[in-house]
Amino acid sequence: MTQPARSIADSHDMIEVRGARENNLAAVSVDIPKRRLTVFTGVSGSGKSSLVFGTIAAESQRMINETYSAFLQSFMPSLSRPDVDSLRNLSAAIVVDQERMGANSRSTVGTATDAYAMLRIVFSRLGQPHVGPAGAFSFNLAEGMCPTCEGLGRVSDLDVDQLVDVERSLNDGAITVPNFAVDSWYWQSIVGSGLFDPDVKLQDFTAQQWQDFLHKPATKMKVGNHTITYEGLAVKVRRLYLSKDKEPTQPHIKAFVERAVTFATCGDCAGTRLNRAALSARIAGRNIAECSAMQISDLAAFVRDIDDPSVAPLVGNLRELLDSLVEIGLGYLSLDRESGSLSGGEAQRVKMVRHLGSSLTDVTYVFDEPTVGLHPHDIARMNGLLLRLRDKGNTVLVVEHKPETIAVADHVVDLGPGAGPDGGRICYAGDVAGLRRADCLTGRHLDHRARLRERVRTPTGHLPIRGADLHNLRDVDVDVPLGVLTVVTGVAGSGKSSLIHGCLPRREGVVVVDQSPIRGSRRSNPATYTGLLDPVRAAFARANKVRPALFSANSEGACPKCRGIGLVYTDLAMMAGVASVCEECEGRRFTPQVLAYTLRGKNISEVLGMSVTEARDFFPTGPARSVLDRLADVGLGYVGLGQPLTTLSGGERQRLKLAIHMGEKAHTYVLDEPTTGLHLADVDKLLALLDRLVDAGNTVVVIEHHQAVMAHADWIVDLGPGAGHDGGRIVFTGTPADLVAHGDTLTATHLREYVGR
């Protein structure tokens, strides 16, 4: 039988990138095979994200947006075309990143994955007694939600001590709520009511005055010739700051709400969010709230026992979805877990599961380090899911450092050779076998293994943890050795973070260096955050005999149009805002007068445009150099001094915090997955840094899955044996050598394989 002639339509089997110059890319040209798994490697700052996210995914998104009508496009952000000569054979790109899922308290793992919607339909058909349609089981609809907490599962109350100082009078500023200062509009509406003497201390109010002051509902009152509406302080604060349909955006208001609002489990629904009717319907003795609270791996087993033919197709889909969540290493979660409480890695995996069941094909899926937060045991399962997406006929592009994921790639694109200005070039493109032979940093380190320590350090004492029972911990007792490097490990969901973050941060001298967002604004950058800008401004001021304040983009030297940000932000209501370079200062952030002042031939904008490495050469001595040295020590040599903090990844944020804390007096450092975003070659530098911290007399505790860090440790605490209720126990404590020689845990198996024993 003759083969059908190959159609010209079948020839578009490569994404062709020509002349990509986004960020530090040096006119990169590369062909990426479609319907294959391609992994992009290279040191942090080498240009991987600029090529994958900033060029390929960005152009795909822009071109899709252009297919909408002009009317719809007017409501969408105006995406600029990436700096590239040409991109051919693109398909629709879906970016599955590590952005935390929205902190909306109505969003749960169940609603985010559609598992809860399927469960609602099953209960509406099979639940006894019969309650009604699926909407009757929704905590986001009036017919299903608990009327007391309106489907939130908790009720809020106000801590009156955070609203007022009872030892003061109204005229003395007794009200401490933001925007209620003496003589403010809100203050006048309370004092003008005539209900209280503004010179009497609040603690001397009568019971009726206190009730009216705090809790009187909105009431029209005649005051002189005017009619005013008076409402109690607590009533007004709830209306202004705690309404369910708007979140406070100003930092000081957010801080006040966090201080003043206390939450308690709703007494009427016991935190289930649902009304009594919804909770009355049961299948096999369980109501829908009990099913949602079950560990997903247990719920999957429960659903497998439902065999009613009227819901067979739906139950089949639900079973497949729950099994995928278990397979991806999220079986320890429950459907009622709030989406906003998931880590970046967990959020990425939840998003990934949504796409596994999709009927779409010939799509480009783009992943950003999908192995973050995964134990080696879980990485094998993640690899299987990436390959499943590929085998459905999709193009899968993955930015990744872990050798286990690089090993399963069909194609590898390695960028480098260095970071920032030293990167942005293709060092290798081809299969994994060729990468191993290639003379590039990734190729040389692919089979590199950290060795077990020949001699471990001796502890100088111990930090005892007793009876730890947070989340899934089972009354855990463990001694954390002082003066050594301890690695806490175990599969995702085994209880590592609960043990360490739940017990150590409250101790004196303990510094927690995590990946959480850094409090700050669009103005914050590494120079301002580390205090580096102070000696830099002082140096400019001395050289030019002017005031240091001129060289702050937050002060008098700032460009008046963009107020020193360098960008003009346009907020687009419900859509993401758009940032465009300020036309007045062309992104330089300062006035022309300030830019005329120089230090050794460079103006302040040019200095802030330097990377840490470049700035170390420019500031060879003094306080600026010591800050820059610490930034280089933690592997941030490629980061720009003036780069907005909002552009840093979780791993970069963590290393920036570590650089600051290294300049302080601390005794115990707690690091949470410091290898996130680090190239194999940089892991060795991280290990050297951890050694320096310990050798300087500190205790270092690292929550980590990377076998190189485990092998390098003095002591290992292994949790498990599984995740969720199958974890929460100490399954091993001892030296890495003991774990390799005698351990029978999942960690022991993988570490043994890693060190070749």
Side-chain angles (χ1 to χ4, degrees), residues 324-646:
S324 291
L325 284 163
V326 173
E327 187 181 346
I328 207 167
L330 295 177
Y332 61 91
L333 297 178
S334 56
L335 295 188
D336 64 2
R337 172 87 172 260
E338 283 193 15
S339 304
S341 70
L342 300 178
S343 69
E346 287 169 335
Q348 186 180 37
R349 295 195 286 284
V350 166
K351 294 174 199 171
M352 187 177 183
V353 165
R354 288 206 302 240
H355 298 297
L356 281 172
S358 170
S359 302
L360 289 173
T361 186
D362 260 327
V363 169
T364 297
Y365 286 100
V366 185
F367 290 91
D368 186 10
E369 260 197 283
T371 62
V372 164
L374 288 184
H375 187 272
H377 171 71
D378 300 311
I379 291 176
R381 298 196 287 191
M382 169 61 75
N383 287 347
L385 292 169
L386 293 172
L387 295 171
R388 258 173 65 190
L389 276 175
R390 176 204 66 186
D391 292 345
K392 283 175 64 179
N394 298 302
T395 304
V396 182
L397 309 181
V398 182
V399 172
E400 188 52 86
H401 296 288
K402 293 280 172 65
E404 299 98 319
T405 299
I406 297 171
V408 300
D410 301 306
H411 191 74
V412 180
V413 176
D414 187 53
L415 284 101
D422 296 328
R425 295 185 286 281
I426 301 291
C427 297
Y428 172 81
D431 62 13
V432 179
L435 177 64
R436 284 197 160 90
R437 297 190 299 270
D439 184 24
C440 63
L441 202 59
T442 305
R444 291 195 294 275
H445 280 80
L446 200 56
D447 295 314
H448 169 69
R449 298 287 183 265
R451 293 196 298 276
L452 294 171
R453 282 183 177 279
E454 290 183 14
R455 277 202 315 277
V456 295
R457 301 177 183 95
T458 305
T460 56
H462 290 88
L463 268 179
I465 294 175
R466 296 290 178 264
D469 58 2
L470 184 65
H471 299 137
N472 67 332
L473 295 175
R474 310 282 188 89
D475 203 24
V476 167
D477 293 341
V478 67
D479 290 323
V480 177
L482 295 172
V484 302
L485 172 59
T486 297
V487 170
V488 180
T489 190
V491 296
S494 60
K496 304 179 298 297
S497 295
S498 299
L499 177 66
I500 300 305
H501 292 308
C503 299
L504 287 189
R506 296 189 298 274
R507 313 282 177 101
E508 190 183 347
V510 173
V511 170
V512 178
V513 188
D514 60 15
Q515 297 184 26
S516 61
I518 293 169
R519 284 188 183 277
S521 66
R522 295 162 172 165
R523 299 178 169 279
S524 302
N525 54 50
T528 58
Y529 185 67
T530 59
L532 173 66
L533 190 59
D534 293 336
V536 169
R537 287 188 310 165
F540 268 93
R542 276 196 310 274
N544 294 280
K545 297 184 172 53
V546 292
R547 296 181 307 284
L550 279 175
F551 303 99
S552 169
N554 299 329
S555 191
E556 54 188 290
C559 164
K561 179 161 188 191
C562 64
R563 301 201 300 279
I565 298 176
L567 300 167
V568 176
Y569 287 90
T570 308
D571 289 322
L572 297 173
M574 294 167 65
M575 301 299 295
V578 174
S580 51
V581 175
C582 173
E583 293 174 5
E584 184 118 345
C585 66
E586 296 178 334
R588 291 196 287 264
R589 306 172 66 185
F590 296 89
T591 61
Q593 294 92 320
V594 171
L595 293 174
Y597 297 119
T598 61
L599 175 67
R600 296 193 293 281
K602 300 281 186 188
N603 64 36
I604 183 69
S605 181
E606 289 169 329
V607 168
L608 290 175
M610 292 178 178
S611 68
V612 168
T613 303
E614 292 169 317
R616 285 177 78 206
D617 294 334
F618 191 74
F619 295 102
T621 57
R625 175 60 188 246
S626 61
V627 176
L628 291 164
D629 283 345
R630 292 202 300 274
L631 287 168
D633 279 348
V634 297
L636 293 178
Y638 62 92
V639 168
L641 302 187
Q643 187 176 334
L645 293 187
T646 50

Side-chain angles (χ1 to χ4, degrees), residues 43 441 632-635 678-692:
V43 296
L441 202 59
D633 279 348
V634 297
L678 281 187
H679 186 267
L680 297 162
D682 291 329
V683 172
D684 284 345
K685 294 178 189 170
L686 173 73
L687 296 177
L689 173 64
L690 298 180
D691 279 344
R692 286 206 301 279

Side-chain angles (χ1 to χ4, degrees), residues 635-658:
L636 293 178
Y638 62 92
V639 168
L641 302 187
Q643 187 176 334
L645 293 187
T646 50
T647 64
L648 299 184
S649 68
E652 287 166 338
R653 288 194 297 262
Q654 183 180 37
R655 293 194 284 284
L656 183 61
K657 293 176 190 176
L658 180 59

